[in-house]
Amino acid sequence: MPSKPPVWTWEVPAYLFAGGAAGAAAVIAGAAHFAHADPGLVLTARIVAAIGAVVSPVLLVSDLGRPQRFLYMLRVFKPQSTMSVGAWTLVVFTFATFAALALATPIGRALTGSTALTAAADMLGIFTGLVLATYTGVLLGATAIPVWAANASYLPLHFAASSLGAAAGMIELAGRADTALHRIGLAAALMETVALAVMEIDWRGGHQTLPSGVGRQMIRVGHVFTGLLALVLRLATARWPAARALAGVAAIGGSLVNRMGWMASGRASALQDRSQ
Amino acid sequence: MTTRTTGFFTDSTTCIGCKACEVACKEWNQVPSDGYQWTGNSYDNTGALGHSTWRHVRFVEGVRGGQPSWDFSSDVCKHCEHAGCLEACPTGAIVRTEFGGVFIQPDICNGCGYCVVSCPFGVVDRRPDDGRAFKCTFCYDRQKVGLAPACATACPTQSIQFGDLEELRAQAARRAATLHARGMDDVIVYDPRESSVGGIHAIFLVRGRLDDFGLPANPVMPTTLLARAWTSAGLAAIALLGVVVFAF
């Protein structure tokens, strides 16, 4: 199929990274709250989610061809437009993360007098966070770009796993050393390692859907960072505690490189397709 | 005036490659210049359909029956029955007109760029300096007042025909039958009604391989991938939540 390469600038892959990590952080914050985990962890996770909830819309608006018309995203709600679903989800997500943060402050608690609203905000944060961490795979997958369409089933799983690893890493780097975060990081790294192995086998078998070039190499490096490297560093933490922070850095960096790689591959795939 | 479903029938066997359609389109729609690049590809210095090219005369060089062949075909937005760009548009800027065409309302488009990657024909494009997405309007303004689109009006050989879609389909079939009878057995009518785009409003008649004319044999409407992708997203969300809940 002849297809046009994406016109998106660096802000979009950066958003895919930031939005996904923020979404996963909100899920961690909500789960930590309901599991009665350390309040410090809940607060840190909420702050990470809230920072992501501010950065994400800024990135998205600045990529628009007409940024002053960003509110037009909310003219209609179209379930069949993944971009529309994402825009609405992001708005609700930003509202939920800030509500959770505000309601948990002493002033918020004094004003509302109950924890029910905080719980509701956390529930909303978990739900929209789950959508945010996964829908970007649908956003790229359900398009006419050959390499994205060929990976329509894979991208949501891959983005969810790498978002989760990045979120755990961010909360850890913000000063938390909870065992739960380590377990989450371990699970995310394991999923990405499996993905890397499957992808390598696929390449060796010649069933490659990814066009060769810088994009493919970035995806490869990204998977090594979010998968194998993060996994090894997590496992080394028992003997070498400093490895934990490095595992977080690997998960965060890999997650960003992965998304930039998918964007570059999409561009290459569209151009390759057109020249046939 | 009763509204009818209109269409284009572009017959490459009568196209002489004069590019009057490109010029007429640019003039009527005030489409900016797309520069003066020499592509080195036949007489085609337009390249491809894009934000500032809504008609594009494709030059196809080849060999037919031991002789060099030189075919021309004026490409245009297909105005799909199920349009990827229209479904993808988050603002509702892209609409279906009363004539059945697909139209981007320039006062609504915010330049998100999602239609660009959602068109299975690679037609829609975002204009960098303007920021909005553009493509053939099917001369919606002209059709509104009962005029034919500028390209069809300017075409000196009636290679581009405009009219009632069903009549054009019948006409294309008749033309193909005539050419087949004359021994041109490589004539194909391009009208992918069986594909997920569900038919197009700009049909073509070409000789040889569809690929040479940039016409995909089976264009895929991207929303057909939604079920698969959202199922995967649902599973991913369950797995993500499971991991987090289990970790605490």
Side-chain angles (χ1 to χ4, degrees):
Chain A
M1 279 196 310
S3 45
K4 276 264 182 298
V7 291
W8 295 325
T9 44
W10 65 271
E11 289 100 330
V12 171
Y15 159 71
L16 299 182
F17 159 74
V27 176
I28 294 173
H33 174 212
F34 290 117
H36 303 290
D38 188 315
L41 170 61
V42 178
L43 180 67
T44 311
R46 277 183 185 148
I47 291 172
V48 169
I51 292 171
V54 174
V55 171
S56 298
V58 169
L59 287 170
L60 276 191
V61 170
S62 66
D63 176 68
L64 287 179
R66 290 283 171 109
Q68 66 275 30
R69 291 187 181 174
F70 72 95
L71 278 177
Y72 284 19
M73 282 291 187
L74 310 178
R75 271 182 88 237
V76 290
F77 175 68
K78 279 171 79 173
Q80 75 272 38
S81 164
T82 314
M83 181 72 85
S84 173
V85 173
W88 280 100
T89 305
L90 186 58
V91 170
V92 179
F93 176 79
T94 306
F95 167 75
T97 48
F98 275 88
L101 211 52
L103 290 167
T105 60
I107 301 168
R109 271 201 296 267
L111 282 175
T112 56
S114 85
T115 53
L117 276 177
T118 316
D122 270 331
M123 283 300 286
L124 197 59
I126 290 177
F127 179 72
T128 50
L130 286 172
V131 178
L132 217 53
T134 55
Y135 94 93
T136 49
V138 183
L139 185 78
L140 298 195
T143 63
I145 302 295
V147 66
W148 294 349
N151 288 286
S153 298
Y154 173 63
L155 285 170
L157 290 161
H158 164 47
F159 283 176
S162 59
S163 294
L164 189 59
M170 286 174 180
I171 301 167
E172 283 177 332
L173 291 176
R176 299 300 308 179
D178 309 72
T179 322
L181 293 175
H182 184 58
R183 289 197 200 116
I184 291 169
L186 210 51
L190 196 62
M191 285 192 269
E192 285 285 277
T193 308
V194 172
L196 174 69
V198 170
M199 203 174 270
E200 288 294 330
I201 292 166
D202 195 41
W203 276 326
R204 296 284 180 275
H207 304 294
Q208 45 196 21
T209 50
L210 279 173
S212 56
V214 67
R216 184 159 88 184
Q217 295 313 325
M218 284 169 90
I219 292 172
R220 213 171 201 174
V221 169
H223 274 78
V224 169
F225 272 68
T226 54
L228 201 58
L229 186 61
L231 186 69
V232 169
L233 287 166
R234 290 261 172 214
L235 293 174
T237 307
R239 282 167 173 266
W240 182 38
R244 192 165 169 181
L246 290 177
V249 172
I252 294 166
S255 183
L256 181 59
V257 170
N258 260 327
R259 281 151 180 79
M260 286 159 60
W262 281 105
M263 203 54 66
S265 288
R267 206 167 290 130
S269 151
L271 291 172
Q272 185 185 55
D273 201 52
R274 193 161 49 168
S275 63
Q276 275 171 1
Chain B
M1 192 177 71
T2 52
T3 346
R4 52 183 188 155
T5 301
T6 55
F8 279 131
F9 166 41
T10 309
D11 180 353
S12 75
T13 61
T14 55
C15 178
I16 55 171
C18 73
K19 304 188 194 179
C21 51
E22 289 189 17
V23 175
C25 172
K26 287 229 178 206
E27 287 203 349
W28 179 265
N29 294 299
Q30 301 185 328
V31 179
S33 155
D34 41 19
Y36 292 96
Q37 282 92 33
W38 303 109
T39 64
N41 169 34
S42 201
Y43 279 5
D44 179 6
N45 291 306
T46 308
L49 291 173
H51 53 79
S52 298
T53 306
W54 301 350
R55 268 279 178 190
H56 164 229
V57 179
R58 190 179 276 267
F59 289 69
V60 181
E61 296 178 359
V63 178
R64 187 178 290 131
Q67 297 286 320
S69 69
W70 203 21
D71 291 353
F72 324 110
S73 183
S74 180
D75 200 6
V76 70
C77 168
K78 314 301 176 293
H79 297 281
C80 307
E81 205 62 65
H82 304 298
C85 61
L86 192 155
E87 298 301 320
C89 178
T91 61
I94 306 185
V95 293
R96 170 122 9 231
T97 71
E98 62 271 40
F99 307 104
V102 177
F103 178 67
I104 308 178
Q105 302 175 81
D107 54 337
I108 306 293
C109 174
N110 68 2
C112 78
Y114 200 42
C115 52
V116 177
V117 292
S118 299
C119 171
F121 296 97
V123 169
V124 200
D125 205 1
R126 187 163 82 178
R127 194 175 288 160
D129 56 346
D130 180 283
R132 293 172 296 179
F134 290 93
K135 69 165 194 72
C136 163
T137 64
F138 215 173
C139 277
Y140 184 40
D141 50 351
R142 291 176 63 94
Q143 288 204 52
K144 273 277 200 194
V145 294
L147 293 171
C151 55
T153 309
C155 180
T157 63
Q158 294 186 337
S159 165
I160 300 173
Q161 305 215 16
F162 169 80
D164 180 89
L165 181 61
E166 286 312 316
E167 281 172 22
L168 290 176
R169 278 181 168 145
Q171 194 183 328
R174 280 198 303 275
R175 174 72 179 158
T178 307
L179 295 175
H180 283 150
R182 286 191 205 160
M184 292 188 194
D185 45 14
D186 57 352
V187 163
I188 319 164
V189 173
Y190 183 70
D191 184 15
R193 268 185 277 186
E194 304 303 313
S195 73
S196 53
V197 300
I200 50 181
H201 290 239
I203 59 176
F204 297 84
L205 184 145
V206 295
R207 292 186 71 184
R209 299 186 327 126
L210 284 175
D211 276 357
D212 293 340
F213 293 87
L215 300 169
N218 183 28
V220 178
M221 163 82 175
T223 52
T224 56
L225 299 163
L226 278 177
R228 190 190 309 169
W230 275 116
T231 305
S232 175
L235 292 174
I238 292 168
L240 198 159
L241 188 63
V243 165
V244 174
V245 168
F246 186 73
F248 283 101

